[in-house]
Amino acid sequence: MTGEELKKLGILAKIEIKDAEVESYLKKLNSEIAIANAISELDTNGINPTTHVSELRNVWRDDIVKPASKETFDEMMKVAPETEGTFYKVEKILEA
Amino acid sequence: MKDIDILKLTAVELSAKICSGEISNDKVTQTCLNHIKEVEPKIKAYQLVLENGALAQPKVSGEKCSSLAGVPIAIKDNIMIKNHPVTACSKMLENYIAPYNATVIEKLKNAGTLLIGKTNMDELAMGSSTETSAFMRTNNPWDLSLIPGGSSGGSAAAVAAFTVPLALGTDTGGSIRQPAAFCGVVGFKPSYGLVSRFGAVALASSLDQIGTFSRTVKDTAVLFDIIAGADYKDPMCEPLENPSFSQGLDEANFKGLKVGVFKDVDYIKLDPEIKKAYKENIQKIKDSGAEIVELEIPSYQYIPAIYKIIMCAEASANLAKFDGIRYGYRAKNVRNLTEIFEKSRGEALGREVKERILFGTFVLSAKNYHNYFDKAQRARTVLINETKEAFKKCNVLFTPTTTQMPTRSGAELSEYCDVFSTASNLTGASGISVPAGLLGGVPVGMHFSAPRLKDADALKAAAAFEKISGWDSSKLPSALG
């Protein structure tokens, strides 16, 4: 992995990576990649991937929106960093 | 009854004495709180002690007594107790107050247990030493200079230091069983899907499981009886009504049991002392009437790679929810929405967590998906198939819990350290670590694994082993003596 690839990963993962951190991140991630590379030698031809080990199947219900109680709503808003009225407040999402 | 004698009671014994009126509920709580005050400066197991919360629990005695009524229990700080902080030991959640109870907490409250505190852990359960906690380090009660293991190191140390007879943890690759082994207590990860994870902070959802710490296998099973069972709030939770895993443990023995053991293999570098202890314990099990079956599961050598890829990939997706908008930390001095995300996550998440998210993003990116994530999921199938074959030849698999002993703080553990415990997360099997003695004054753990949903077999083997291991579960750890 190169510094450029790392910066791109940071953008994808939405994690700020400072220039001073690049070298140490690369050292760690490249050693992780080396460990992960071990599986390339395992023959997995004709083997299906496992996404989870449960044999349960999804249970469906009608997709009906039910109003949340005022209490639940207040609880959810109370833990938000910044709110205005009934909304979460964020910085602008479009540059002028 | 002297305070130390109360602290040394098992959960089952303690509850019986509370229910019969021999010891009051308040006396038990106060004794625990006093002991926490005494040992906490050395151990640092607790992220939060719920002095008022614990004492405000319902009183239980007489007819209404359940099997763990009045018993104090410590909870890993990634499990939600309503109206109390749940930090997962991350700055991201430092000021977050749980708006609801985890299902396991509801069940513990219904059973009348006393929730006495939240325990320290690796940040967001990412680590094997409890050193990545954003707030403090926990010390091993047997030698304060050693790590307690992790990520549930606080829960393991809390039980090992006799501050509580029971604790809950979470286990994604060995996060209950490895610290249990390092601290000399019993640590149990049930089969995937037997305990609801609703209200626990997720790490890797196809591997995560809530499990238990205690000083005896019986206590583990009784606690498991309470927290196991169906919950529609966790879609992976198996329909299981009125579980009774604690039945028949007193009579458990090895007679006629087929116990699978590992052949010597080069890629798993066992600490020579652990290897010696492993061989001795195999002999003890054999002498107790078990049939020993030598096995090899070749794909074990790929476990560190498979685990790293799948765990990091799932973690990177799960942790996308920490965006600085709906809850958790938000960075100051940001100019736009993207900076809210990048700086909030950059500033509030610890180094280990960020590395895992970046690695997870790497293996999921279009260029690498085929060679890493998809390949690891197929390799996981190979491991599952080989493990199924192995379990055709034996009832339980017996291994050491870890391949090495706890290190000094600051040293790195080998990527193979948790290979035996991680195998059960990847295959969905149950796994239990049981103390097997001291090596150089520090506990060593042995591990039983049974096929998925055959948890009773793992518990019975562990209970049988407990009788022949020679471990004294009422002995105080040396650093507290």
Side-chain angles (χ1 to χ4, degrees):
Chain A
M1 187 189 292
T2 63
E4 201 180 321
E5 285 173 304
L6 174 68
K7 287 275 183 158
K8 198 179 159 201
L9 276 184
I11 291 168
L12 287 172
K14 298 278 183 282
I15 289 176
E16 182 182 49
I17 295 171
K18 298 200 170 82
D19 288 339
E21 299 172 324
V22 169
E23 202 177 315
S24 61
Y25 267 121
L26 281 179
K27 196 176 163 208
K28 182 69 190 282
L29 290 173
N30 278 321
S31 80
E32 307 269 284
I33 291 168
I35 293 170
N37 282 341
I39 52 165
S40 64
E41 67 188 45
L42 180 67
D43 182 7
T44 52
N45 269 330
I47 304 283
N48 288 324
T50 295
T51 53
H52 62 79
V53 296
S54 172
E55 278 147 34
L56 295 176
R57 292 287 168 266
N58 212 350
V59 179
W60 301 96
R61 59 165 170 74
D62 293 331
D63 186 17
I64 301 165
V65 178
K66 293 180 195 160
S69 71
K70 172 94 171 58
E71 191 198 352
T72 304
F73 182 81
D74 290 345
E75 294 272 357
M76 301 310 286
M77 295 307 276
K78 206 166 64 187
V79 293
E82 205 179 349
T83 58
E84 193 172 302
T86 57
F87 297 98
Y88 294 127
K89 193 173 173 186
V90 297
E91 299 301 316
K92 61 184 173 186
I93 59 166
L94 293 172
E95 297 290 346
Chain B
M1 209 172 184
K2 279 196 229 156
D3 285 3
I4 188 67
D5 295 327
I6 293 175
L7 296 168
K8 282 187 171 186
L9 293 171
T10 69
V12 171
E13 290 165 348
L14 184 59
S15 186
K17 288 194 188 298
I18 292 169
C19 292
S20 71
E22 194 180 332
I23 314 175
S24 77
N25 211 347
D26 288 350
K27 169 71 181 164
V28 171
T29 314
Q30 206 51 57
T31 305
C32 279
L33 290 173
N34 289 345
H35 187 57
I36 289 172
K37 280 202 184 86
E38 190 188 322
V39 300
E40 198 50 13
K42 286 183 181 174
I43 308 294
K44 301 194 184 80
Y46 288 87
Q47 169 64 18
L48 176 74
V49 177
L50 299 171
E51 299 213 15
N52 296 324
L55 289 166
Q57 298 291 312
K59 287 194 171 37
V60 263
S61 64
E63 284 172 20
K64 276 177 70 187
C65 254
S66 75
S67 48
L68 290 180
V71 175
I73 182 166
I75 308 294
K76 188 178 183 180
D77 199 25
N78 60 351
I79 298 173
M80 306 229 263
I81 304 177
K82 189 174 177 173
N83 297 331
H84 290 289
V86 54
T87 71
C89 291
S90 176
K91 280 188 183 161
M92 182 56 87
L93 295 175
E94 191 169 4
N95 300 310
Y96 181 66
I97 306 295
Y100 56 89
N101 277 325
T103 296
V104 288
I105 297 299
E106 289 288 348
K107 290 186 173 198
L108 289 175
K109 286 193 164 199
N110 289 339
T113 61
L114 293 156
L115 308 172
I116 210 149
K118 304 298 290 289
T119 55
N120 196 28
M121 57 183 280
D122 281 302
E123 181 179 3
L124 294 159
M126 297 193 192
S128 310
S129 64
T130 312
E131 291 171 297
T132 73
S133 164
F135 307 120
M136 62 179 182
R137 264 189 12 226
T138 294
N139 299 319
N140 191 313
W142 290 87
D143 178 340
L144 301 178
S145 70
L146 299 179
I147 56 165
S151 65
S152 314
S155 287
V159 174
F162 286 76
T163 62
V164 274
L166 300 173
L168 289 189
T170 58
D171 189 314
T172 304
S175 276
I176 287 173
R177 293 157 290 157
Q178 183 251 40
F182 285 1
C183 291
V185 297
V186 177
F188 176 51
K189 182 205 85 80
S191 290
Y192 183 78
L194 282 194
V195 177
S196 167
R197 298 157 312 163
F198 179 73
V201 181
L203 165 53
S205 301
S206 83
L207 305 166
D208 291 346
Q209 191 59 69
I210 290 177
T212 64
F213 291 91
S214 67
R215 290 190 295 270
T216 66
V217 176
K218 180 77 178 281
D219 278 1
T220 285
V222 171
L223 176 56
F224 184 40
D225 279 348
I226 287 171
I227 62 169
D231 178 20
Y232 77 96
K233 291 171 184 165
D234 178 350
M236 284 295 158
C237 218
E238 296 285 336
L240 183 76
E241 299 302 333
N242 303 319
S244 59
F245 296 97
S246 54
Q247 297 298 312
L249 287 186
D250 293 337
E251 300 82 40
N253 66 71
F254 282 115
K255 284 194 184 74
L257 201 70
K258 286 184 184 167
V259 177
V261 301
F262 255 75
K263 282 182 194 161
D264 274 339
V265 283
D266 292 339
Y267 54 85
I268 297 173
K269 288 182 189 64
L270 265 185
D271 175 301
E273 291 295 310
I274 295 180
K275 187 187 261 187
K276 194 165 157 256
Y278 180 46
K279 302 270 179 212
E280 286 166 6
N281 281 300
I282 291 172
Q283 190 58 46
K284 278 189 203 172
I285 291 171
K286 193 177 175 187
D287 293 344
S288 306
E291 181 188 334
I292 302 293
V293 184
E294 272 212 336
L295 296 166
E296 197 198 339
I297 304 178
S299 53
Y300 264 50
Q301 64 190 292
Y302 302 107
I303 283 176
I306 302 170
Y307 176 67
K308 197 169 281 291
I309 293 167
I310 291 175
M311 175 267 297
C312 288
E314 292 186 12
S316 74
N318 268 332
L319 271 58
K321 63 179 169 259
F322 297 127
D323 55 10
I325 292 177
R326 291 156 303 155
Y327 54 89
Y329 177 89
R330 181 186 290 192
K332 309 276 183 294
N333 304 320
V334 291
R335 290 169 300 181
N336 54 46
L337 184 65
T338 302
E339 279 194 6
I340 291 184
F341 297 147
E342 291 181 347
K343 286 184 186 289
S344 298
R345 290 159 68 82
E347 289 169 17
L349 296 174
R351 182 58 192 245
E352 176 77 25
V353 174
K354 287 189 279 191
E355 282 168 2
R356 293 198 193 192
I357 293 174
L358 289 167
F359 186 74
T361 309
F362 171 81
V363 299
L364 287 173
S365 61
K367 196 173 106 185
N368 301 312
Y369 184 91
H370 179 74
N371 287 339
Y372 291 101
F373 188 60
D374 182 71
K375 180 80 178 176
Q377 288 189 315
R378 290 174 201 273
R380 185 178 183 180
T381 309
V382 174
L383 174 71
I384 289 170
N385 291 345
E386 288 181 0
T387 305
K388 272 186 190 155
E389 283 304 309
F391 276 129
K392 283 181 187 164
K393 298 174 198 144
C394 63
N395 306 101
V396 291
L397 197 54
F398 177 67
T399 61
T401 307
T402 59
T403 63
Q404 65 186 107
M405 297 296 286
T407 53
R408 307 258 153 222
S409 187
E412 272 208 35
L413 292 162
S414 141
E415 78 244 31
Y416 277 99
C417 179
D418 298 343
V419 65
F420 295 120
S421 57
T422 304
S424 14
N425 300 81
L426 286 168
T427 61
S430 57
I432 182 165
S433 177
V434 191
L438 297 173
L439 295 180
V442 183
V444 63
M446 293 291 148
H447 187 263
F448 289 93
S449 182
R452 190 169 119 75
L453 306 181
K454 299 234 173 177
D455 296 46
D457 290 353
L459 289 164
K460 277 187 182 144
F465 181 72
E466 195 176 42
K467 290 173 191 163
I468 59 164
S469 70
W471 177 261
D472 176 6
S473 63
S474 68
K475 187 175 149 58
L476 279 174
S478 38
L480 299 178

